[in-house]
Amino acid sequence: MSMQLGSSMTGAALPVFAHGSWKNATIERDGASATTGCSVQFAQDREIYGEGDTATVFFKVVEGVVRTCKFLSDGRRQIDAFHVAGDVFGFEAGVEYRLSAEAVCNCRLTSHRRRGLEELAATDLALSQQLFLYAMQGMARAQDHSLLLGRRSAVEKVAAFLVEWARHAGGCQTIILAMTRQDIADYLGLTIETVSRTLSQLERDAVIEIPTAREIRLKDLAALHSLKS
Amino acid sequence: MSMQLGSSMTGAALPVFAHGSWKNATIERDGASATTGCSVQFAQDREIYGEGDTATVFFKVVEGVVRTCKFLSDGRRQIDAFHVAGDVFGFEAGVEYRLSAEAVCNCRLTSHRRRGLEELAATDLALSQQLFLYAMQGMARAQDHSLLLGRRSAVEKVAAFLVEWARHAGGCQTIILAMTRQDIADYLGLTIETVSRTLSQLERDAVIEIPTAREIRLKDLAALHSLKS
DNA sequence: CGCCGAGTTGACCATGTTCAAGGTGGGTGG
DNA sequence: CCACCCACCTTGAACATGGTCAACTCGGCG
């Protein structure tokens, strides 16, 4: 029985522990089911867990898209990240989830008991290192997001989002958005109207094409990259 | 010889590995100097390292304040965090520093060779777990910062900054700012003028008092907390 | 005393938000 | 099959928040 802790953790060239061959480490488990993923499904917009819930399990996306977000008391929402197939989310240092997680579309996930994994990690150095890498990449992602939110204009934000999502979509020219305009807005720290207007403007400028609302064709990738600033 | 990886990592009640007593773990080292901190000093506004530099060492603040930040090509700057005594910064998963680090004021740091630490971590489970905790807390901080930058107004941002910094200042009523208005602005994703205006407004509202520019007396902490929204 | 960098303040402006109206498309029920 | 509905999206106009530009103040230091 084996568990692979996610392509998101091994994709980039990030040699953490230079001496070891931790890369693509696959965690072998002989028999016990403590860390075996249970397959679970969530329908669109279903809450997977809420901020403050006790974090007994974490998840890996098999299929679909998940958003992790925080809410302010008045309902304002900030989406921290969209998680796609292979991504791990909901792994916490503390006892509670620090964010909420919701299914952007119908999703298949595997859930993993945290306790079991931790016990395993305590004896398995490679796994420990993998968890570390997961955390470091999460930090890097959040820091990049801060730069996006703090210092970029609406066009720059939208362009950055499209470029980022194009990678998710496998470098294809036409990207299919799993999320609504509201999701995009809450990810970029904008309103739904500004996102819509900005996309329309980009289409008028012949940088993109929007056949249907959820389908965006990137006509001028170079322009998009320079718009990111 | 021993190294303590920072109060910032052991301060909060964050039981990562529930079975172990990792808390306040002190890394013992017998003899070799690979991970022993060298004491280093940096004058105000000196660069400690730049984004893209090879990350051979990381640092722990002994005295003073350090900012870590990113720059856009046109000079816009986003400060990711201010690091105070006890905080570790500059520990990277990859080969390069992902942010720049600069001394906000005259600083004393200890620098630690990364390679040495990694070799040690490969054999030392407690240290491995501590590094993991460092990364997880860094991720949590960056995520909170994203919420601040994306979904809050100028007053809310400034109020949040003051409350946060009050903790750094040991819960004292009067806080001494090590950083300039420009630093605060770049941390909050605002301009220097907006920060200044917002502080003035808070003073007019009798929430704070500003005896000198770098000294802020928090008169109404409850009001500040509610302004954070 | 005068300079200089940091901070403050004001007037104007631009970007993005708010509020409101209309469009579009997929699904359901007659 | 078509009509209707509803959620999602787009567009417009007025508005507000924060940015820009510029003048001025303050305090430290030669």
Side-chain angles (χ1 to χ4, degrees), chain A residues 76 98 122 125 151 186 190, chain B residues 76 122 125 144 151 186 190:
Chain A
R76 282 176 289 180
R98 301 178 34 78
L125 189 63
R151 285 294 176 211
D186 288 343
L190 297 170
Chain B
R76 282 177 288 180
L125 189 64
D144 289 343
R151 284 295 175 208
D186 287 343
L190 298 171

Side-chain angles (χ1 to χ4, degrees), chain B residues 26-147:
Chain B
T26 297
I27 311 311
E28 297 291 338
R29 268 230 114 204
D30 46 356
S33 64
T35 61
T36 304
C38 302
S39 188
V40 286
Q41 299 206 201
F42 287 89
Q44 188 175 349
D45 290 326
R46 276 297 162 77
E47 179 179 281
I48 299 166
Y49 55 77
E51 188 179 342
D53 290 359
T54 303
T56 51
V57 296
F58 65 95
F59 299 89
K60 180 177 166 184
V61 180
V62 175
E63 193 184 352
V65 179
V66 170
R67 59 176 176 254
T68 45
C69 48
K70 281 188 160 262
F71 293 89
L72 295 182
S73 45
D74 58 1
R76 282 177 288 180
R77 181 179 70 161
Q78 177 65 51
I79 294 182
D80 174 61
F82 294 108
H83 304 275
V84 299
D87 288 350
V88 169
F89 67 94
F91 195 80
E92 298 288 333
V95 293
E96 300 181 347
Y97 292 115
R98 301 179 33 81
L99 303 160
S100 303
E102 297 161 357
V104 170
C105 54
N106 293 338
C107 286
R108 277 195 309 126
L109 316 172
T110 50
S111 78
H112 303 270
R113 282 184 46 213
R114 191 180 124 180
R115 174 65 69 98
L117 182 69
E118 283 166 357
E119 276 158 10
L120 183 60
T123 60
D124 186 325
L125 189 64
L127 178 53
S128 225
Q129 292 173 359
Q130 218 175 14
L131 291 179
F132 171 72
L133 185 58
Y134 160 75
M136 289 297 280
Q137 292 189 191
M139 175 163 69
R141 199 185 32 62
Q143 286 169 348
D144 289 343
H145 200 195
S146 290
L147 179 62

Side-chain angles (χ1 to χ4, degrees), chain A residues 3-72:
Chain A
M3 192 183 85
Q4 171 76 14
L5 248 188
S7 59
S8 69
M9 295 158 72
T10 54
L14 292 172
V16 188
F17 294 96
H19 56 88
S21 62
W22 57 269
K23 262 210 232 177
N24 297 314
T26 297
I27 312 310
E28 297 292 338
R29 267 231 116 201
D30 45 357
S33 64
T35 61
T36 304
C38 301
S39 188
V40 285
Q41 299 207 200
F42 287 89
Q44 187 175 350
D45 290 325
R46 276 298 159 77
E47 178 179 282
I48 298 166
Y49 55 77
E51 187 179 343
D53 290 358
T54 303
T56 52
V57 297
F58 65 96
F59 299 88
K60 180 177 165 183
V61 181
V62 175
E63 193 182 355
V65 180
V66 170
R67 59 177 175 255
T68 45
C69 49
K70 282 187 160 259
F71 293 88
L72 295 182

